[in-house]
Amino acid sequence: MAGIYVHIPFCKKLCSYCDFYKCVQTTRIPSYIQALHKELDERREYLLNEEVLTIYFGGGTPSLLTPLQIGDLLNHINRLYRVAGDCEITLEANPDDLSASYLRELHEGTSVNRLSIGVQSFNDDDLKLLNRRHNAGDAEACMLNARKAGFNNISMDLIYGLPGMNPASWRQQLEKAFALEIEHLSAYQLTIEEGTGLSRQLKQGMITLPEEEICAEQFFILHEMALAKGFNHYEISNLARDGFISRHNSGYWQQQNYLGAGPSAHSYNGKSRQWNIADVQQYIRALENHVEYAVREELSDVTRYNEYLMVSLRTSTGADLQVINENFGTLFVEQFTRDIQRFVDSGHVVNENGRYYMTPGGWFISDYVLTRLMMEEKQDSLLNIP
Ligand code: SF4
């Protein structure tokens, strides 16, 4: 069971909160697609002929590619890999790229069967602050057009904790999202990353962020409203109606193997992780000249253990003592049960017969919880791990 991630790093305009790798030279798209073909060819063996259950076009802005270009990449993947008949194929998209004709062509001409739409907000002032290309009207229109085109698995991204946002305005945002009958919602708290437009505005005193208690209230509103609408809150930032969890992202959280193609994309096969150079031009050149474009890290037991906690505790399934025992041994089990007990006592974590999962309150402070659970590399020797 495996997934393929294809990074499309192009954006027409840079959002003020974004620190993903991206570039605005969209004229490079044709040569970039050729380079992607080459990488997918070269790395055919990486997934060891495992069945590919999910394909995900992420970005950047994958909806800057034409349906023809997306179909061409999918045909190429189908020729090289063993793709499951019911493969989940997701395209991340910006609302203003999703015209009725684009959506029709995408649905009729490709096997994309899931859309992840970067709405972020239904408030035009928020969208201006975030420097998004679209407005609230575009966001609603594209949802309706996607339905008309035949898409029946649609996810929407929203951001909370924005400057000026209060619990009542966040409730309104969520009401709008649920009224559009989405199948899946990804809701992220705004984080200010160094080097972004918002970070500069914050330093210059042009914006102020809501207090942490306000953000916590917004997170609990998200949780309660989504549950009341019949959604499962299955991961800190992800909520879905029955049958519509993101299979691709769940693969990451269940530590299934995946191949990531394109600049800055990561790949993982249980033993090692590798990541591609984060530069389109160098990536294209490397593929043309057959030179290395990825860095590889063999994962130690401690790294694998830390990663297991990081991904499993994000989900409602949580971390399992039996899995820790089978994969890492009794010393790790002892350390885990010792370290996590204080969060069970404080009510942030529930222990259900050896399956430990966070409550919504635990999720809200999960960064802190994880720092208390992570093992340091040097502990390898303290634990006498060979
Ligand atoms: S948020 Fe998305 S569209 Fe905006 S700059 Fe980042 S990658 Fe591009």
Side-chain angles (χ1 to χ4, degrees), residues 4 46 77 101 104 113 153 162 166 177 180 305:
I4 294 180
Y46 190 83
I77 291 172
S101 59
R104 219 173 21 249
N113 51 27
N153 189 354
L162 290 169
N166 58 42
L180 289 164
Y305 168 79

Side-chain angles (χ1 to χ4, degrees), residues 305 308-309 313 319-325 328-346 349-357 369 372-375 379 383:
Y305 168 79
Y308 172 69
L309 296 190
L313 288 169
D320 197 314
L321 272 193
Q322 202 177 329
V323 174
I324 296 175
N325 195 25
F328 308 105
T330 49
L331 291 170
F332 284 84
V333 168
E334 281 165 21
Q335 166 129 357
F336 175 74
T337 46
R338 197 170 52 239
D339 291 347
I340 204 161
Q341 190 54 43
R342 56 188 282 217
F343 298 108
V344 176
D345 295 340
S346 66
V349 172
V350 176
N351 171 9
E352 202 173 80
N353 303 321
R355 179 174 76 85
Y356 290 76
Y357 61 89
V369 176
R372 313 316 295 177
L373 299 179
M374 295 284 117
M375 211 182 258
Q379 282 180 262
L383 291 171

Side-chain angles (χ1 to χ4, degrees), residues 63-258:
S63 52
L64 288 180
L65 265 53
T66 64
L68 215 58
Q69 289 168 323
I70 294 161
D72 168 58
L73 280 166
L74 284 170
N75 289 339
H76 194 66
I77 291 172
N78 268 297
R79 278 194 293 274
L80 299 169
Y81 296 85
R82 201 156 60 84
V83 178
D86 64 344
C87 186
E88 175 193 271
I89 304 176
T90 304
L91 182 88
E92 279 183 359
N94 261 21
D96 58 332
D97 292 329
L98 298 182
S99 65
S101 59
Y102 182 96
L103 285 158
R104 219 173 21 249
E105 273 178 58
L106 189 70
H107 192 258
E108 285 167 11
T110 75
S111 43
V112 170
N113 51 27
R114 183 171 184 273
L115 294 175
S116 172
I117 304 180
V119 169
Q120 317 308 357
S121 172
F122 287 103
N123 177 315
D124 281 339
D125 290 337
D126 291 345
L127 291 168
K128 271 192 209 126
L129 175 77
L130 297 173
N131 205 32
R132 297 290 299 182
R133 276 194 277 145
H134 66 278
N135 59 35
D138 294 332
E140 288 196 54
C142 80
M143 293 294 301
L144 302 174
N145 286 334
R147 288 276 179 236
K148 270 194 216 144
F151 286 98
N152 56 13
N153 189 354
I154 303 178
S155 178
M156 180 189 287
D157 284 2
L158 288 179
I159 301 179
Y160 63 94
L162 290 169
M165 183 181 262
N166 58 42
S169 57
W170 174 232
R171 256 180 218 286
Q172 280 169 7
Q173 301 273 335
L174 290 169
E175 287 293 358
K176 278 221 164 128
F178 292 128
L180 289 164
E181 302 194 332
I182 47 175
E183 280 75 28
H184 187 279
L185 173 65
S186 298
Y188 302 97
Q189 183 182 343
L190 178 70
T191 50
I192 303 288
E193 307 293 348
E194 198 51 51
T196 60
L198 283 188
S199 142
R200 283 187 287 279
Q201 290 183 43
L202 189 65
K203 281 182 194 149
Q204 289 163 10
M206 293 164 68
I207 54 166
T208 47
L209 296 176
E211 299 291 327
E212 203 55 11
E213 298 83 67
I214 304 271
C215 295
E217 194 179 347
Q218 292 172 16
F219 178 72
F220 294 123
I221 288 172
L222 164 75
H223 177 75
E224 280 152 24
M225 280 182 72
L227 257 53
K229 298 283 178 189
F231 278 60
N232 300 310
H233 195 164
Y234 69 101
E235 194 266 350
I236 298 181
S237 308
N238 286 281
L239 310 98
R241 284 175 28 203
D242 278 348
F244 290 98
I245 64 164
S246 162
R247 282 161 53 195
H248 186 80
N249 288 339
S250 296
Y252 296 147
W253 302 320
Q254 291 161 10
Q255 296 186 295
Q256 288 168 13
N257 297 349
Y258 59 87

Side-chain angles (χ1 to χ4, degrees), residues 355-374:
R355 179 174 76 85
Y356 290 76
Y357 61 89
M358 290 199 192
T359 59
W363 270 341
F364 194 74
I365 58 156
S366 59
D367 285 350
Y368 172 74
V369 176
L370 285 165
T371 58
R372 313 316 295 177
L373 299 179
M374 295 284 117

Side-chain angles (χ1 to χ4, degrees), residues 29-70:
I29 289 178
S31 51
Y32 178 64
I33 290 177
Q34 290 316 308
L36 274 179
H37 274 236
K38 285 195 190 116
E39 180 178 8
L40 289 161
D41 262 333
E42 282 180 6
R43 298 184 66 201
R44 211 172 353 199
E45 301 304 320
Y46 190 83
L47 297 178
L48 301 170
N49 204 31
E50 276 180 78
E51 191 171 37
V52 174
L53 298 184
T54 63
I55 299 171
Y56 194 101
F57 291 93
T61 318
S63 52
L64 288 180
L65 265 53
T66 64
L68 215 58
Q69 289 168 323
I70 294 161

Side-chain angles (χ1 to χ4, degrees), residues 263-283:
S264 79
H266 286 214
S267 302
Y268 171 81
N269 67 3
K271 295 190 180 71
S272 69
R273 174 177 307 291
Q274 61 185 60
W275 54 97
N276 291 352
I277 186 167
D279 183 302
V280 177
Q281 206 175 349
Q282 287 184 39
Y283 169 83

